[in-house]
Amino acid sequence: MAKTIDVRLSNISLRAEGKAYTIGTLSRYADQYEAMVETFVANGFGVDDCEFLVVDNRRDDQWDAFHGLNEVLNQAQGRYVILCHEDVRLMQDGRAELDARLAELTALDPKWALAGNAGGTDAGTLAIRITDPNTGDTAIGGPFPVRVMSLDENFIVVRKGPRIGFSSDLDGFHLYGADLCLNAEIMGHSAYVIDFHLQHLSCGNADATFWAAANAFTGKWRRAFRRRTMRTTCAMLPMEGAPD
């Protein structure tokens, strides 16, 4: 049987055209998801121009992040799609603060497509604005916004207009934020860490599944960036990229 995405909308968010925000989440634990939604609603995301989409992973036929969140992006009505973990909690920063940060980002770089709260830069440094169990209230790498080459998956705002999505030839639950950033860059768009402060109740775990995903990720992108000559109907075009 084909998998389906379970879309559950809170009673304060009716599905309709012209939404400002879609909040999309992979969920394994109902209590975690409901607690997350409560903090969003309490901080300004419970009005008629917001919607909540959940990919129900509490069953055996689970979606992985790449394919499940692509379905969220496909179905989302919002101009901005917030992809977040079910164990994030909004605190003082809410709808008004995010509106302001995204307006600031648009004025700075009209081609931005992605914004988050943690990522890595081209220079090899980190930009982070978060509270989590490892480091507490953390703000490093600023002043924000900071342009980055990767974003952590706990919280990513996707600007719907550029139509950025995840790779269809990767799967699992790791590095999909980095994949999204690469796809955005290829399409001429950019990613940033912004000053939007929330709490993440867990920390990353670089276990065996992470390193397996890392091998698949680097293998895919090494193939994509390989040196080649592009044959078109009009010319042979040399393409320079990463070495094989």
Side-chain angles (χ1 to χ4, degrees):
M1 179 180 295
K3 294 178 179 178
T4 59
I5 181 172
D6 287 348
V7 179
R8 303 183 182 189
L9 307 181
S10 74
N11 58 8
I12 45 73
S13 178
L14 301 177
R15 187 84 182 258
E17 299 291 339
K19 298 293 185 184
Y21 288 97
T22 298
I23 298 91
T25 313
L26 298 174
S27 177
R28 292 188 63 190
Y29 306 103
D31 57 342
Q32 284 273 30
Y33 178 74
E34 294 302 328
M36 180 273 290
V37 170
E38 287 178 7
T39 69
F40 272 83
V41 170
N43 283 276
F45 292 92
V47 294
D48 288 342
D49 67 345
C50 298
E51 65 174 355
F52 293 85
L53 302 184
V54 58
V55 180
D56 190 349
N57 267 353
R58 296 164 231 162
R59 307 169 306 183
D60 291 336
D61 56 338
Q62 293 189 355
W63 290 81
D64 72 277
F66 290 85
H67 297 87
L69 294 179
N70 263 339
E71 285 298 317
V72 169
L73 293 174
N74 289 338
Q75 295 192 26
Q77 300 295 317
R79 294 190 303 276
Y80 302 109
V81 185
I82 298 173
L83 304 177
C84 63
H85 289 181
E86 64 182 347
D87 64 344
V88 301
R89 305 289 184 264
L90 297 193
M91 301 186 298
Q92 290 82 15
D93 287 357
R95 170 73 180 270
E97 288 76 17
L98 188 57
D99 284 346
R101 298 292 83 76
L102 297 184
E104 175 188 19
L105 193 52
T106 301
L108 173 69
D109 181 357
K111 291 188 176 181
W112 77 270
L114 307 170
N117 59 10
T121 72
D122 285 342
T125 60
L126 295 176
I128 300 173
R129 182 67 183 110
I130 199 171
T131 288
D132 69 19
N134 270 351
T135 58
D137 185 344
T138 303
I140 61 174
F144 302 102
V146 176
R147 187 164 179 170
V148 292
M149 67 188 307
S150 68
L151 285 169
D152 187 84
E153 294 84 2
N154 81 92
F155 178 85
I156 300 175
V157 180
V158 183
R159 196 178 188 181
K160 190 71 181 293
R163 304 295 297 175
I164 307 299
F166 299 95
S167 293
S168 62
D169 55 350
L170 291 172
D171 56 28
F173 297 92
H174 297 288
L175 296 169
Y176 55 94
D179 176 75
L180 196 64
C181 290
L182 282 172
N183 284 323
E185 182 179 354
I186 287 170
M187 294 178 67
H189 297 282
S190 50
Y192 288 83
V193 167
I194 58 175
D195 185 7
F196 185 74
H197 186 206
L198 56 73
Q199 182 179 23
H200 189 203
L201 300 182
S202 60
C203 303
N205 181 20
D207 58 10
T209 63
F210 172 84
W211 293 110
N215 288 335
F217 177 87
T218 55
K220 178 257 168 69
W221 284 106
R222 283 175 65 87
R223 291 191 300 273
F225 294 146
R226 70 187 182 276
R227 294 173 180 166
R228 72 189 90 179
T229 299
M230 177 65 69
R231 182 65 168 102
T232 75
T233 56
C234 299
M236 297 285 285
L237 305 176
M239 309 293 289
E240 295 297 329
D244 293 333

